Amino acid sequence: MRMNGRYGDLAGRRVVITGAGRGLGRILASAFDENGARLGLVARSAGALQDVADGLSGEALVLPGDVRDAEFNEAVAKAMVDRFGGVDVWICNAAVSPEVSPVVEMEPESWRQIVDVNLTGAFLGARAGAAVMGTGGRIIVTGSVLGSRPRAGLSAYAASKSGIEALVKALAQEVGPRAITANAVALGWFDTGLGAHWHRDAELEGDIVRHTALGRWGHSGDLAGAFLFLASEASAYVTGTTLTVDGGYSLM
Ligand SMILES: NC(=O)c1ccc[n+]([C@@H]2O[C@H](COP(=O)([O-])OP(=O)(O)OC[C@H]3O[C@@H](n4cnc5c(N)ncnc54)[C@H](OP(=O)(O)O)[C@@H]3O)[C@@H](O)[C@H]2O)c1
């Protein structure tokens, strides 16, 4: 997907994408690369990131590390400044959802791991990014419809995604005076990345289709438009909000 013209030009923009090693983050990396952005790719697996970088046409820094680590996030910001002179867009996209477990059976350590990566990791990325961003910067956090419509067994994941929506609302007020925006994208059910596991469950697969206005799961081509919009000039007056990309799942 390519954006053109005055409102959509992302050429040369300096964009950090966390969770860029596979799944949806990998799709985002391709979409921003296609639009001429210069990228900082973050995940724990250096090999996966290098593989993504090797498939891109433009410049991309491979920045392996853990989003739960505050110093690592600051090092990512510094690497972007050293190489590209700054950061324009920081997409906090890394997340985990390792298990389905009722609250009464969930180990506290599992809860902490999910909230640490998904919510604290987003906070630390936004914090590091906002510290070095100039006027017109963009912070985008990948959320989920489960943040507003939690499902049994996914309490930690849902709570982390709900927390993201509050995070961007508070952050938007703090960075607004510098013309920086902070928004979330609440994704519905995609058949790639974390969603691929659920997509293979025949009962759930059909259940989601029946409860989605557009009558289908999200595909890779449905993803990037919202992120490109929120990263571009077209969204300069959009902040503190959650853009839902779920085919109408939240309606039904
Ligand atoms: N796929 C869906 O249907 C769906 C639906 C709603 C929302 N989402 C959201 O979309 C985003 C991307 O999910 P996905 O489906 O693409 O998941 P995925 O395929 O599992 O990819 C997750 C990415 O995050 C990285 N990551 C995980 N833990 C990390 C950590 N501690 N530090 C740094 N990187 C870490 C992973 O790489 P390493 O393991 O190498 O670190 C990987 O690159 C997430 O925020 C997810 O909640 C997805």
Side-chain angles (χ1 to χ4, degrees):
M1 178 180 296
R2 204 162 160 69
M3 311 236 306
N4 287 308
R6 179 179 158 207
Y7 293 108
D9 193 358
L10 295 170
R13 298 278 274 175
R14 301 155 297 188
V15 181
V16 171
I17 305 174
T18 73
R22 59 172 188 265
L24 304 185
R26 188 178 182 128
I27 296 166
L28 292 178
S30 291
F32 278 85
D33 174 66
E34 203 182 319
N35 280 277
R38 294 174 287 171
L39 304 181
L41 305 174
V42 172
R44 288 166 301 178
S45 164
L49 292 178
Q50 192 58 57
D51 191 47
V52 173
D54 289 345
L56 302 177
S57 55
E59 287 180 272
L61 280 179
V62 167
L63 302 165
D66 195 317
V67 295
R68 290 172 288 188
D69 179 347
E71 286 176 9
F72 168 67
N73 282 282
E74 286 159 14
V76 169
K78 183 173 183 312
M80 293 293 288
V81 171
D82 289 350
R83 172 70 176 267
F84 300 132
V87 179
D88 300 303
V89 182
W90 195 298
I91 303 177
C92 306
N93 170 74
V96 292
S97 183
E99 64 181 77
V100 177
S101 174
V103 168
V104 292
E105 290 169 20
M106 186 171 220
E107 293 297 333
E109 196 39 50
S110 297
W111 172 279
R112 288 195 189 99
Q113 186 207 348
I114 295 166
V115 173
D116 265 10
V117 177
N118 301 8
L119 182 55
T120 310
F123 152 68
L124 292 172
R127 176 176 176 267
V132 297
M133 266 176 197
T135 303
R138 300 279 191 271
I139 294 159
I140 307 170
V141 186
T142 308
S144 163
V145 288
L146 295 174
S148 54
R149 277 190 71 180
R151 283 178 86 100
L154 291 169
S155 58
Y157 182 82
S160 71
K161 294 302 185 181
S162 185
I164 276 167
E165 298 190 19
L167 169 65
V168 299
K169 284 190 170 84
L171 179 61
Q173 297 171 59
E174 296 165 10
V175 295
R178 290 195 281 144
I180 297 171
T181 67
N183 293 288
V185 179
L187 298 175
W189 298 82
F190 277 71
D191 59 10
T192 49
L194 286 172
H197 165 76
W198 302 103
H199 190 248
R200 286 191 291 272
D201 179 323
E203 196 179 328
L204 181 71
E205 197 274 336
D207 187 45
I208 300 300
V209 169
R210 279 188 296 282
H211 289 90
T212 299
L214 292 177
R216 64 173 179 83
W217 282 55
H219 308 313
S220 55
D222 297 316
L223 177 74
F227 289 84
L228 294 170
F229 165 67
L230 289 174
S232 76
E233 269 308 292
S235 64
Y237 203 55
V238 178
T239 195
T241 195
T242 297
L243 177 50
T244 300
V245 180
D246 71 346
Y249 172 79
S250 307
L251 302 171
M252 301 168 68

